[in-house]
């Protein structure tokens, strides 16, 4: 299974580079094994460089850049092994409008193999959805759901 | 396989029996602050086996049971049922024959402290539920649910934690 | 100075209750001294109950409710001793539109005694501002500022 | 008293000399993800005396100096100047006579490790800057700057930390 781990790691890494470059319209990203001699026990380091920026630690990235990088890694794993469903709670909160669109366009493609449920306040995100569930509290402290379907 | 519906009763702010049906596409859950959207996320995490109170934003397990409002008394039981559709044949389901295509897992917690677990209405243990879900590719450990404010965790986490992602995908 | 601490605490508490009730259109909030016998060494507990909801721990509050409660406490302290200026970085990210408006309307009042600088992606927040500073990166990796003034 | 302007040079993504002028009202700073808005916040926190690298999102102090881009080489010095206007008379300013109404504090860091501090262009120590700002009601400890993603800290923090808020207000 060491070989299987390495194969999976390589696949996820290839996906990560490609998805990162797409979400950031360029730029380079990489996953590396901390301890190459012992892959099954090794941690995984991430390097990520948005387009035109120099190599620097992840800590310096902006709120929106960190969110997009995390999304890129999540999609990279899903392309190898899609989760049956995936619920995302307000992951679009730190994103500017252009990034919300890039994220949503990619999500629509991933949605072929994974059912996505997204909790959001963002109008743009809502416009990409197939269906909308509204949650309300008409009666104080009591949640109620109203479903709105569209294509 | 996909999540067909989620039934909530007595769980956090969902005191009344509520059935959320999800199509096999991309659904957005919307509503004002505090109306209960993240509680839906907590419900799914709880029924698929999440045990840690902190990650369900509660300090005690009884925080999961509807504890009243200005117009309602508290109740004594929280119940969540999650139905998966198009379940592949051959997944082990604790000795329950997987004849139907839909599999419903139910988790119940009483204020008195008792827990109940069911698969397709038949009593079972929590382990039976988590074993079945693991075979189906669902677990609190993988990227099934990203909590509010936690999207950055994947990249701020320790290198060892990221290895788990690759292990689960392998 | 023990008396001065207690007086300040009381003032902040009265403000907190009032501002919370305004931001939440009702509801009750309170600050309490953990160790009343030793106020100068005591920690401070917060209880906060949005309108119509029962008494429960802060942990159960939603993302938006926690942000509004934090804003209420911040304003409560500012009413006692206004900071000369205050910079808020994307504090409106978890808020729905109605809460953004309530927050901004209160901010305009507080802005009489405190200069506010808000970093935001939110159109509604921008509409409340007196002046706008746009930051861009036309040249990759290099920040540049463009000022837009209006009343 | 208010923040009149902020000058940045060589600080994080602000390699070119930049002067931000703030009116005494309510200013919004806007722009796409990663363009440098929070770097402005870091600049203010740093010049008013923030020492902890972690809160400036850096791992080493040299992270604060512009470290290059695809079109620019790194530079060797970061400098931030903050000008306060309508400074009340009588605030101690390290033996520098407060004749003008504007007081400008400057902090400089060289890649070689040297730091420089100035008040109204006159060299001083960091302590002179922080003492002056403390008298003026500004410090990294009070609610002057709320970092991105940290608004909830006030209510999730320990009870002892909240007491500091009251102490500073008293
Ligand atoms: N056991 C319980 N009984 C009754 N109400 C509860 C219980 N647990 C949580 N709540 C209420 O549920 C509300 C939180 O709901 P939730 O976190 O789902 O909101 P949300 O829709 O995600 O809001 P936001 O957009 O701000 O994130 C809180 O007001 C809380 O008081
Ligand atoms: N020392 C440095 N040299 C060059 N660039 C730097 C340096 N430190 C940080 N940066 C860059 O600054 C950018 C981050 O800027 P900042 O956090 O201000 O963005 P932002 O406008 O707040 O974005 P968001 O809306 O996503 O929060 C990162 O892309 C980072 O690479
Ligand atoms: Mg929520
Ligand atoms: Mg930012």
């Amino acid at each position: 299974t060491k070989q299987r781990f390495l194969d999976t790691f390589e696949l996820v890494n290839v996906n990560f580079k490609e998805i990162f470059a797409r979400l950031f319209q360029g730029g380079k990203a990489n996953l590396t094994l901390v301890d190459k001699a012992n892959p099954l026990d090794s941690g995984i380091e991430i390097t990520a460089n948005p387009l035109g920026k120099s190599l620097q630690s992840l800590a310096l990235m902006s709120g929106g850049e960190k969110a997009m990088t995390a999304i890129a890694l999540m999609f990279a794993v899903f392309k190898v092994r899609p989760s049956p469903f995936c619920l995302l709670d307000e992951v679009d909160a730190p994103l500017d409008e252009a990034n919300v669109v890039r994220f949503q366009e990619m999500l629509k493609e991933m949605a072929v193999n994974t059912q996505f449920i997204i909790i959001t306040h963002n109008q743009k995100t809502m416009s990409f959805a197939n269906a909308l569930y509204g949650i309300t509290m008409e009666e104080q402290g009591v949640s109620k759901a109203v479903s709105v379907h569209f294509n | 396989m996909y999540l067909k519906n989620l039934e909530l009763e007595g769980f956090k702010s969902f005191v009344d029996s509520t059935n959320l049906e999800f199509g096999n596409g991309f659904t957005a859950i919307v509503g004002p602050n505090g109306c209960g959207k993240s509680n839906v996320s907590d419900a799914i995490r709880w029924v698929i086996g999440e045990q840690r109170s902190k990650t369900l934003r509660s300090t005690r397990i009884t925080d999961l049971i509807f504890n009243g409002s200005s117009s309602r008394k508290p109740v004594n039981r929280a119940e969540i049922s999650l139905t998966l559709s198009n379940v592949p044949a051959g997944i082990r389901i604790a000795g329950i024959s997987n004849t139907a295509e839909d599999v419903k897992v139910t988790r119940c917690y009483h204020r008195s402290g008792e827990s109940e677990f069911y698969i397709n209405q038949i009593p079972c243990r929590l382990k039976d539920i988590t074993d079945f879900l693991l075979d189906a590719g669902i677990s609190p450990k993988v990227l099934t649910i990203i909590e509010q404010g936690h999207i950055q965790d994947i990249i701020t986490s320790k290198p060892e934690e990221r290895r788990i992602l690759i292990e689960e995908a392998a």
Side-chain angles (χ1 to χ4, degrees), chain B residues 106-122:
Chain B
T106 302
R107 182 173 186 176
C108 207
Y109 181 76
H110 297 263
R111 208 176 275 282
S112 51
E114 293 144 31
S115 286
E116 292 163 50
F117 307 96
Y118 302 89
I119 293 180
N120 288 346
Q121 324 275 30
I122 298 168

Side-chain angles (χ1 to χ4, degrees), chain A residues 3-74:
Chain A
Q3 193 50 46
R4 188 166 170 188
F5 179 89
L6 286 172
D7 292 344
T8 310
F9 176 80
E10 208 36 53
L11 266 176
V12 173
N13 198 8
V14 167
N15 291 338
F16 181 54
K17 291 174 194 291
E18 180 189 332
I19 296 171
F20 182 93
R22 171 175 166 176
L23 291 180
F24 283 83
Q25 306 196 294
K28 305 205 201 77
N30 207 15
L31 299 173
T32 42
L33 288 163
V34 173
D35 182 3
K36 293 195 174 51
N38 271 327
L40 288 179
D41 293 318
S42 166
I44 295 173
E45 285 293 341
I46 303 176
T47 50
N49 265 50
L51 184 61
K53 296 183 180 176
S54 59
L55 195 63
Q56 51 203 355
S57 81
L58 285 184
L60 292 174
M61 281 183 125
S62 80
E65 289 173 332
K66 281 179 183 151
M68 291 296 270
T69 303
I71 287 165
L73 184 52
M74 179 179 75

